[in-house]
Amino acid sequence: MTMLVHEGQPTLLPRLSASRKRERVERTDGVAPKLRSRGLRAFFGKKEVLKGIDLPVAAREVTAVIGPSGCGKSTWIRCLNRMHELIADARLEGAVELDGRDVYARDVDPVLLRRRIGMVFQKPNPFPTMSIRDNVLAGLRLTGTLARVRPAEVVERALRQAALWDEVKDSLTQPGASLSGGQQQRLCIARTLAVDPEVILMDEPCSALDPIATARIEDLIHALSDRYTIVIVTHNMQQATRVSDSTAFFLMGELVEHAPTNQLFTSPKDRRTEEYITGRFG
Amino acid sequence: MTAATASATSEPSASLGTGAVGDPSGAVEPAVGDEDPRPLTGRAAPWHERVIEIGLFACAGVSVLTTIGIVAVLLGETLQFFGEVSILDFLTDTQWTPLFSDKHFGIWPLLSGTLVTSGVAIAVALPFGLLAAIYLSEIASPRVRSLVKPSLELLAGVPTVVYGYFALVTLTPLLQHVVPGLSGFNALSPGIVMGVMIMPLISSLSEDAIHAVPQSLREASYGLGASKLATIFRVVLPTARSGIAASVTLAASRAIGETMIVAIAAGQQPRLGIDPRQPFETMTAYIVKVSLGDIATGTTEFRTIFAVGSALFVMTLSMNLLAMRLARSFRGAL
Amino acid sequence: MNGAGKNEPDGTPTHDPGKAPTNDPSSASRRRRHVAFVALALGATVLPLAVLAMLLGGVTLDGLGRIGWDFLTSYPSRRAARAGILPGLVGSISLISLTAALAVPIGVGAAVYLEEYGKRTRIARIIELNIANLAGVPSVIYGLLGLGVFVRTLGMGRSLLAGACTLALLVLPIVIVASREALKNVPDSTREACLALGSTRWQAIRQVVLPMAFPEILTGVILAVSRAIGETAPLVVIGALAYVTFLPDGVLAPFTTLPIQIFDWVSRPQQSFAVNAAAGIVVLMGTLLALNGVAIGLRARLQRRKA
């Protein structure tokens, strides 16, 4: 499995991969989506921030969500693993389906859901009181499942998958907060991988990082998309073109357009999409 | 809403983490074909988490029980007291002699003691506290402020019995050189000491209020050519006035409820008057006096402390509520 | 923005003597007024502190000579020179330990509930309002509560336990507020990280949130409980004795405390007892100072670790 991941230097150039991506989009057409939001409306108090989003997320692909600030893209991604409802005043209508099952059904426990849909946040948030090793194991320890695994193996595997192993293998007992911003974010990804989710949600994972760290995360996303379904919210359109198979454009709480990434950026169907990607607003 | 309440079905907690999480190989090779055995339904939280949540709620509920307890004890005993003593006498009689053979149950002398000592305290604490608040927020550098503010709060941390000692043993003899006709027990000395004690309450809360005045208002004033002093007194203080009023109300409520300083240094003579040089008995000091004595519980004499306590509770509670309302209106006005 | 910025507002002519326009006769007087006001405000801030320092210095001078092994290990006596504070000292320490044992778990539990579970619920808002009001109830009223509920209704008598229950309720609002502050300082992103990993709320609280907040909770709790050491009025009301010539032999035993012993001595007319009171105050303040020192040291260490 180590060959999946590009340890050390960011070797895999995004442009090289574009052709491969396109192939895959075509290949997966017609397959049932891993996740699907149906008529999803989200509210903060009386304010409606999502106005009925219908959007499928294909399995083992990277789906990017773009749009100007306040368009609802972050809210949407937080609805997928039921993090939205943790905010005071937050409310929601409609459905999100994971493998065809409504995750908002009465008998679904959001905790069980979140074990299958992991999330990486905007700002790297490793647990400050824990070492690198403990950060990776945090999910297993938190959920009381650590006893069922061999910790050393999980740590190495997750860190290798997150392309961080070589950099930290000699300092696993150092605090997670001692790493650089980019390393912290990869640590957060490793932490998410360690609980073995099926879907990984990334809410602007590179917005707090410098370009080199960003490139490494993008490589990583790319590598991970072979086995995980990934949704990434980004304010950076170049990033969307570099990492994603399909892209959705949100505007003022509505889904304007969803298409294979190449198509959306080269021949958008909606005038508003065109205006946005050509930089006329936002 | 919470994990624990989201689901009604109670599948055993063993279901959590079935599948790939528990299986060491699972992390490398997720099941092919997206047929994940991990269920979404059931409960992730073991049953004891529900118990813990209820336990935590019970902890929070203790404070409500405390309030209920206070009201129940005060109300119960006070109602009994008013069955034995007319409430009219309590509110209109000008003498308080429940422990004498000629019994009178007029609250006014105790009230007068409380108001005179508290009045002295506010007269001391208001100017000092307000000046300190202005100094801290408008004049002092952040470094000085970070040093002085916690020091001032030390004033409120000194045990009141220590302040009582200062009032009786140190301050009163000193004041007797300056103030003619000052009794050994008097309202002036404990009042002043109480003022020192409540001053940080005024300075701290007023400073918060002054600090909250938007910088743009100060700049607007400076822009009109106003001096710093004019800005402080014409713009900043008026804007912060309801916040300052809240702090003074709270401080006054604290002074009214203060017990040991007045019990030690103000004397134990119920007196209807306003001359702070004389001995007074405050409501709180009376409660202490009766508690120390050997009056049998269950007698009318003993119940007086609950009646006085009720009056005290009503006074302080209404002042606290007033302070809260003032603080809210200040925040709303900003 | 505030603080230093306010110190030197741009465009105020009163501030910089070098730049003040000299041809304006009013500017000199305005500057004088400003300086006078600054002096006044500074004086008003420092004077109470100076007075307190002098008073504490004075009482230390008065009492220090009286403090010795004998004073710390003797029982009260009718003869001032032979009286000691042993029962008060032991009583205070037992009372505070018992108070902390009651108030800390309940207070921290309440804070966890309000901060982590009940944030949006109406009942939590009612409880919050209630706590805010309780914080303003005079301590002597808590004495009446303790007398009515613990001493009489629950039949604890005038015991250490009744005193500890009363003081626990008294410091509860402070413990809750301090613990909530500490919990508030744990960033929400940490909670979200836990929940996104599939932890339940309690798993996140117990394994991540509470450990992170622990040093600050400890600091706040020490400060809150140290206040209870100086409390006198509620204990007098529930009937703690002033003249105790034995040590409490259990939680249901009668007791006295340091402040009550001081109160007893200061209430006596003889000068020699006033000296005892001064000595007792030195011991009490020393204990308080030590506890506050521990709390401040903890806080400093915590801040260093954060930096």
Side-chain angles (χ1 to χ4, degrees), chain B residues 49 52 57 59 63-64 67 69 77 128 132 135 137 139 159 165 199 211 215 218 222 227-229 309 320 324, chain C residues 2 6-7 9 12 30 37 42 44-45 48 59 106 113 130 133-134 136 140-141 145 152 200 202 278 281 288:
Chain B
E49 292 202 2
I52 288 167
F57 175 73
C59 288
S63 74
V64 178
T67 306
E77 296 279 344
F128 279 90
Y135 176 76
S137 72
I139 298 168
Y165 171 93
M199 174 212 161
H211 209 93
Q215 186 65 8
R218 292 186 184 84
Y222 293 140
S227 70
K228 183 154 186 141
L229 280 192
N320 291 338
M324 268 187 220
Chain C
N2 290 338
K6 270 184 257 172
N7 215 359
T12 26
R30 197 182 330 150
F37 178 75
L42 179 62
T45 312
V59 78
I106 296 177
Y113 180 80
N130 180 60
N133 274 311
L134 279 181
V140 70
I141 303 269
L145 169 73
R152 293 214 231 143
T200 63
W202 174 246
I281 286 173
L288 259 177

Side-chain angles (χ1 to χ4, degrees), chain B residues 78-326:
Chain B
T78 305
L79 285 180
Q80 248 181 311
F81 174 76
F82 284 129
E84 292 150 7
V85 172
S86 146
I87 190 164
L88 209 67
D89 285 352
F90 187 70
L91 293 177
T92 56
D93 200 327
T94 56
Q95 285 188 66
W96 180 258
T97 56
L99 310 181
F100 297 164
S101 50
D102 177 24
K103 292 188 196 314
H104 287 273
F105 295 95
I107 186 78
W108 287 102
L110 296 184
L111 200 58
S112 140
T114 292
L115 293 180
V116 171
T117 48
S118 304
V120 174
I122 288 294
V124 171
L126 180 58
F128 279 90
L130 202 51
L131 280 170
I134 294 170
Y135 176 76
L136 287 174
S137 72
E138 303 289 304
I139 298 168
S141 69
R143 226 178 75 85
V144 170
R145 182 171 167 272
S146 71
L147 251 147
V148 172
K149 202 171 176 182
S151 314
L152 277 178
E153 271 151 29
L154 283 182
L155 291 174
V158 175
T160 54
V161 68
V162 177
Y163 274 125
Y165 171 93
F166 291 150
L168 180 70
V169 178
T170 317
L171 190 57
T172 297
L174 219 62
L175 287 176
Q176 278 173 326
H177 293 299
V178 193
V179 182
L182 187 70
S183 312
F185 292 109
N186 59 74
L188 186 62
S189 172
I192 292 173
V193 168
M194 222 150 65
V196 172
M197 184 189 80
I198 61 174
M199 174 212 161
L201 211 62
I202 296 185
S203 68
S204 205
L205 295 174
S206 293
E207 198 234 323
D208 292 344
I210 293 172
H211 209 93
V213 172
Q215 186 65 8
S216 60
L217 284 184
R218 292 186 184 84
E219 280 161 4
S221 171
Y222 293 140
L224 294 171
S227 70
K228 183 154 186 141
L229 280 192
T231 304
I232 291 172
F233 284 99
R234 303 262 163 77
V235 178
V236 177
L237 291 188
T239 312
R241 66 175 180 271
S242 53
I244 293 168
S247 78
V248 176
T249 313
L250 263 185
S253 153
R254 184 71 52 89
I256 286 172
E258 171 43 39
T259 309
M260 293 321 289
I261 301 177
V262 285
I264 290 171
Q268 301 186 335
Q269 297 176 32
R271 176 193 304 275
L272 190 56
I274 52 162
D275 183 355
R277 294 175 305 169
Q278 293 179 308
F280 278 93
E281 184 164 60
T282 66
M283 299 160 80
T284 52
Y286 174 75
I287 295 175
V288 165
K289 182 174 79 180
V290 171
S291 304
L292 285 171
D294 46 10
I295 298 159
T297 57
T299 58
T300 308
E301 288 87 334
F302 194 80
R303 273 191 204 108
T304 52
I305 65 173
F306 290 97
V308 172
S310 296
L312 184 64
F313 180 68
V314 169
M315 284 169 72
T316 52
L317 182 67
S318 39
M319 292 179 84
N320 291 338
L321 290 174
L322 174 67
M324 268 187 220
R325 166 164 266 179
L326 283 167

Side-chain angles (χ1 to χ4, degrees), chain A residues 1-3 5-9 132-134 136-137 150-173 179 182-191 193 216 220:
Chain A
M1 81 247 157
T2 48
M3 53 195 179
V5 180
H6 319 283
E7 305 175 62
Q9 306 75 30
I132 291 170
R133 181 178 180 279
D134 287 346
V136 176
L137 295 175
R150 268 163 292 190
E153 280 178 22
V154 172
V155 169
E156 179 171 351
R157 192 185 307 128
L159 285 171
R160 278 192 194 280
Q161 278 185 295
L164 191 60
W165 174 250
D166 285 349
E167 290 158 66
V168 300
K169 65 181 177 208
D170 297 322
S171 52
L172 291 176
T173 53
L179 299 173
Q183 288 174 322
Q184 284 187 22
Q185 194 63 300
R186 276 180 283 148
L187 178 60
C188 291
I189 293 173
R191 180 175 73 185
L193 294 174
R216 303 209 53 175
L220 181 56

